[in-house]
Amino acid sequence: MGITKRLTPVFVWILVGGLNGAEAQSTPFNAESRTFRSQGWTCAIGYHAFNARPDSVPVVYQTVRPSGTIDTLHAGTWGHAGNQALRLGIGYWGIARRPLIWDRWFIELHGTRNAAASTFEGLVTDADSILQPNTLLDSGRSMLTTELNFKLQRAFEIKTDFFFEVQLGIGWDREWGSAFSRNGPDSMFVTRSAPATDRVALELGAGLGVRTRSGRYLRVHATYDGLQLAPLAEEGDGRVQWYEGQYQPWNLTLQWDLLRAKPLEDCAKPPAQDRPSEVLFGDQMQKDRKKQMKKQKRRAKKNRW
């Protein structure tokens, strides 16, 4: 039921977006532009956050002895903390020729770094079965976190050259050179397997943008993981499970979308077979021009005499 409840708002969001698109609301993107191509490169720089959710959790770990008595191995509080990092990206994008629900598509590769630390502070049973103050530290860090994304976006024009946009996408995250460690009385805690280094998540986002006359679009865009698909988080949402903690990744990005200019049309090129009326300097016109030039020369000679 937990997953179903969290998926429902996503499906409602998609439905509302589809209805808005069906009403043909204005979009500043035109795939039939005579000046610019409908595809181009995009680059991004931004802020990546790996926030703990929740950041503090009380815990008590008890076992039952053969005699039937309850023995407490540890009791205290876990504190979780994620990191913030720079995020850089590059990609390719295109404009839809018939924008119904979405008007653009993007394929992007981003790079950042993830790191997190979870600290237990409280009482831990010692060798004499006596609870003593102690601390356990779980930590993890990647040398590089890559994010490969495919996303669809829809823009709604606020006024000329300014627009609001929404996004639905899917992303694959990979941790490279990751290192995880646990320091402290770990024998009194539940053994945890190393966190997954590959994740697939459904991504949601929104932003604001402006169009320039030179075929470029500058956008400020925010995204977060709405649903983690693989591995499926215990909560059924977009949180990343790292040992004792759960972390919600989100990004704030400054995006620069570029379109290449189309080459200037050559008015002297051969005419299209299906549009002969578009000929400006065709073969017949050139022949007629030569005849006119000859007549003008003859008249000039006669005038001399």
Side-chain angles (χ1 to χ4, degrees), residues 254-268:
L254 181 65
Q255 198 95 16
W256 193 238
D257 303 333
L258 313 176
L259 287 178
R260 290 187 299 165
K262 288 184 177 179
L264 296 176
E265 295 184 2
D266 185 0
C267 59

Side-chain angles (χ1 to χ4, degrees), residues 176-219:
W176 301 93
S178 56
F180 304 100
S181 63
R182 169 170 277 197
N183 300 315
D186 60 336
S187 61
M188 300 300 170
F189 292 77
V190 177
T191 302
R192 299 286 188 182
S193 58
T197 56
D198 292 273
R199 296 181 298 274
V200 179
L202 183 69
E203 299 178 350
L204 304 177
L208 295 172
V210 60
R211 174 178 55 183
T212 68
R213 295 182 180 179
S214 57
R216 295 175 175 85
Y217 296 83
L218 183 63
R219 300 182 292 116

